[in-house]
Amino acid sequence: MNITNKTVLVTGGGSGIGFEIAKQLGQRGNKVIITGRSEAKLEKAAAQLNNVSFIVADVTSEADVNNLVDKINNEYGGLDILINNAGQANVYHLDEAANAYDKASAEMETNYLSIVRLTEKLLPALKKSKEAAIVNVSSIVAFVPGVNLPTYAASKAALHSYTRALRHTIAKKTGIKIFELMPPLVDTELSVEIGGENGIPPLEVAEGLIKGFENDEYELHIGNTADMYKLYLQSPQEALIALNKRRE
């Protein structure tokens, strides 16, 4: 897939993986739009990057999403690549006092349902592109849940399933390419509570996506996600034990 001279939307692009993806794509001559809830963070991020602008938008807000879609269509003239990167995670263990329902509701809304809504609303714009793509950023825990991220893992498993269905239907009907980016632990603000400093740098994830674009490789197992997936296929229980050695 050609990844130059395209209009790209990156949700959650003010930091972490989204920031690095925006940086890599901006350097390749694309027109990149980043979104997030904090105008100050977005403004700071965009100032550090080439060919990047921003729109303040909370992906869980229907009003914000409608405004975002309108701006994409009317001010940017359409869209070629949608990168659903915004995410939320709660670190806890399941127990009677965990308040798991509220945590799960927030994670499902951000990590899964908001992606379904935004993708559906932007499909008309993507269908008009000569070469379009959707990228959903999931996780290694879509295959093997982390016990200290139980409902986050469930939200990413839902996203993984949705992405496969989207690829089987939308890609066949329209030619829109559907990618899934599946990193392991990454050193970002989101992962501080779970030892993110031991994770891979966001740049490695962004570079993995660039290679996926270039090679038309649609399910991208970044870093040790590849080995964990192989172990999962051999023995789901062994994979569960291996991933959670330091988390219980």
Side-chain angles (χ1 to χ4, degrees):
M1 178 175 181
N2 176 43
I3 47 168
T4 58
N5 299 314
K6 293 193 178 325
T7 300
V8 184
L9 176 65
V10 184
T11 67
S15 62
I17 294 171
F19 178 89
E20 289 296 340
I21 290 173
K23 182 177 180 180
Q24 293 297 313
L25 292 174
Q27 289 174 345
R28 286 166 171 78
N30 297 285
K31 182 166 60 177
V32 182
I33 309 142
I34 58 174
T35 72
R37 291 176 293 181
S38 169
E39 182 172 6
K41 178 184 281 189
L42 292 171
E43 188 172 23
K44 181 180 178 181
Q48 300 174 59
L49 303 173
N50 296 320
N51 302 317
V52 174
S53 59
F54 67 88
I55 299 173
V56 179
D58 179 351
V59 292
T60 67
S61 164
E62 185 173 9
D64 280 11
V65 168
N66 288 336
N67 179 61
L68 174 62
V69 172
D70 285 344
K71 285 188 174 182
I72 293 293
N73 289 322
N74 298 322
E75 297 180 19
Y76 290 88
L79 188 68
D80 300 299
I81 301 176
L82 167 62
I83 301 178
N84 289 307
N85 168 74
Q88 177 180 347
N90 291 296
V91 181
Y92 70 102
H93 288 81
L94 294 170
D95 204 348
E96 70 270 14
N99 196 22
Y101 178 85
D102 288 344
K103 291 181 173 69
S105 296
E107 289 166 332
M108 281 291 182
E109 185 67 30
T110 302
N111 302 339
Y112 174 55
L113 294 173
S114 72
I115 291 172
V116 174
R117 176 167 57 195
L118 182 58
T119 299
E120 188 170 78
K121 286 182 178 290
L122 285 172
L123 273 176
L126 291 166
K127 286 179 179 179
K128 294 176 183 177
S129 170
K130 293 180 180 179
E131 187 181 37
I134 297 169
V135 179
N136 291 334
V137 181
S138 65
S139 169
I140 192 173
V141 297
F143 297 132
V144 185
V147 294
N148 59 344
L149 296 165
T151 47
Y152 171 80
S155 72
K156 292 299 188 178
L159 180 59
H160 173 60
S161 180
Y162 166 74
T163 304
R164 294 189 66 193
L166 193 66
R167 186 181 300 121
H168 188 71
T169 53
I170 296 298
K172 282 187 175 181
K173 291 179 181 179
T174 67
I176 297 172
K177 297 178 179 182
I178 312 295
F179 296 85
E180 184 174 7
L181 186 58
M182 308 187 77
L185 181 64
V186 182
D187 187 8
T188 67
E189 293 176 14
L190 186 69
S191 66
V192 171
E193 289 186 71
I194 56 170
E197 70 276 5
N198 299 311
I200 65 174
L203 177 59
E204 184 174 338
V205 183
E207 289 176 340
L209 176 59
I210 297 300
K211 290 178 183 177
F213 279 142
E214 293 172 343
N215 298 323
D216 282 336
E217 183 181 351
Y218 299 116
E219 189 171 293
L220 301 167
H221 299 170
I222 308 299
N224 70 348
T225 299
D227 290 336
M228 187 58 66
Y229 179 63
K230 291 176 184 177
L231 180 58
Y232 166 75
L233 292 178
Q234 295 170 359
S235 171
Q237 183 61 25
E238 287 300 319
L240 186 67
I241 292 170
L243 185 73
N244 289 288
K245 279 182 179 178
R246 298 172 184 170
R247 299 185 184 216
E248 297 182 275

